[in-house]
Amino acid sequence: MDTGLKGKRALVCAASKGLGRACAMALAREGVAVTITARTADVLEATAAEIRAATGSPVIAVAGDITTEAGRAAALAACPDPDILVNNAGGPPPGDFRDWDRDIWIKALDANMLTPIFLIKAVVDGMVARRFGRIVNITSASVKSPIPTLGMSNGARAGLTGFVAGLARQVARHNVTINALLPGPFLTDRLRGTTAALAAKSGRTLEEEIAERAKGTPAGRVGDPAEFGDACAFLCAASSGFIVGQNLVLDGGAFNSTMG
Ligand code: NAP
C-alpha cells in the first residue's frame, strides 16, 4: 500500500518509548519527517537516533512535558505546521476514586483530555487551509470497556472522545480526519510496570503474569507496539480521508461484541 505520506511532517507526542515511538517509527518509514517529544531528554535523543538510522527520515527531538503549556509551545515551535498530529501522553494512575481530590483529577484531565484538545486547536486550522490533515489520538480500550481500577483514564479519555466525535465531523470536508486508536494490552514499559505490580501480588514472575494477560485475549497474546504503529500509519495515509471519527480497538479481540 502506498500511503502517499512521503515528505509530510508529523508531530508525535510522548514518543521516546512504547506506542508513541512505534507510531513515529512507522510514519518515518513512510518518509514522514517526524518531531517527537518526551520528558527524558537522553532517552528521547536515543530514540530519535534509532528512528533516523532505521528509516533515513529527518527526526527532531523536543524534550518537555507535553501536558504543560511550555511543553506544547516547544513542540509546536519545532513543528509549527504538522500534516499529522499523534496525541499521546502517559496514562493516569490506578486507584479508588474516593482517594482522588480535584488536583489529581485536573492532572488526569490535563494529560488525557485537554492536552490533545489544545494541540488540535493549535494545528487544525492550518490543516484545513492546506486541505490535508490526519490527527490520531492514542486513547485506550477503556473508552469502550471501562477498567474498574482506572477510573480517571475511563473518564478523561471518554471526555476527549466525545469532544472529538463532534469536531471530526466539522473538519472532514477539508480532508482533515480525526480518529482514535484504542490499545488493549501492548508490550511496552507501561504494561511491564503495571504487570510487575500484579506479579508482586500474585507471586508469579513477570513473564508468567504477561502470559496470564495474553490468555485474556482471543488472539492469545499481547500486542507488539510495531503493529500499533502500522495501524497509525494506515489511518494517516492519503487514502484514509474517508475514515472519520472512528475509534479503532486494537486488543486481539478482547472487547467482546458483534460489531462496533
Ligand atoms: P510507555 O511505554 O510508558 O511510554 C510512554 C511514553 O510517553 C514515553 O516515551 C514517555 O517518556 C512519554 N511521556 C509520558 N508522559 C509524558 C508527558 N507528560 N510529556 C511527554 N511525554 C510523556 O507507555 P505506552 O504503553 O506506550 O502508553 C502510551 C499511552 O497508551 C498511555 O496513555 C497509556 O495509558 C495508553 N495505553 C497503553 C496500553 C498498553 O498496553 N501499553 C493500553 C491502554 C492504554 P517520558 O517518561 O520520558 O516523558
Side-chain angles (χ1 to χ4, degrees):
M1 172 183 172
D2 177 8
T3 56
L5 292 176
K6 199 168 168 46
K8 301 281 189 205
R9 296 173 305 265
L11 172 57
V12 187
C13 304
S16 67
K17 296 184 195 172
L19 304 180
R21 178 190 186 280
C23 292
M25 182 69 89
L27 290 170
R29 274 217 182 93
E30 296 304 313
V32 176
V34 295
T35 298
I36 58 173
T37 86
R39 292 163 302 183
T40 315
D42 55 341
V43 179
L44 181 68
E45 288 294 348
T47 298
E50 280 166 26
I51 297 175
R52 260 180 233 119
T55 67
S57 287
V59 184
I60 298 172
V62 182
D65 184 340
I66 202 69
T67 70
T68 65
E69 238 174 88
R72 290 189 290 275
L76 289 165
C79 187
D81 298 309
D83 304 298
I84 295 166
L85 168 66
V86 179
N87 276 314
N88 186 31
D96 184 328
F97 86 97
R98 292 168 189 82
D99 300 327
W100 300 334
D101 61 19
R102 188 169 194 282
D103 288 348
I104 292 175
W105 268 105
I106 295 294
K107 218 172 158 195
L109 292 171
D110 264 342
N112 299 113
M113 180 180 173
L114 297 176
T115 288
I117 290 173
F118 286 132
L119 286 169
I120 292 171
K121 180 179 163 186
V123 305
V124 76
D125 291 339
M127 290 177 171
V128 165
R130 295 190 301 278
R131 298 198 62 79
F132 182 92
R134 299 285 182 263
I135 298 173
V136 177
N137 296 323
I138 299 179
T139 61
S140 170
S142 72
V143 169
K144 282 209 170 179
S145 181
I147 301 169
T149 54
L150 286 174
M152 277 189 287
S153 174
N154 300 338
R157 297 186 199 276
L160 172 66
T161 304
F163 168 75
V164 156
L167 182 64
R169 286 155 175 97
Q170 293 164 37
V171 296
R173 69 180 54 247
H174 305 288
N175 190 25
V176 176
T177 68
I178 313 179
N179 293 290
L181 290 173
L182 283 56
F186 275 84
L187 196 52
T188 65
D189 277 8
R190 176 167 166 98
L191 188 83
R192 283 189 197 91
T194 52
T195 310
L198 291 174
K201 278 189 197 155
S202 68
R204 287 190 275 254
T205 64
L206 178 62
E207 287 67 31
E208 287 166 346
E209 202 62 55
I210 289 172
E212 278 304 304
R213 288 293 290 268
K215 279 189 208 158
T217 69
R221 62 181 179 87
V222 294
D224 177 344
E227 297 172 292
F228 192 92
D230 286 349
C232 177
F234 166 70
L235 282 182
C236 294
S239 56
S240 294
F242 210 52
I243 303 176
V244 172
Q246 297 301 301
N247 288 283
L248 179 61
V249 180
L250 290 88
D251 67 350
F255 180 67
N256 191 27
S257 77
T258 303
M259 59 177 107

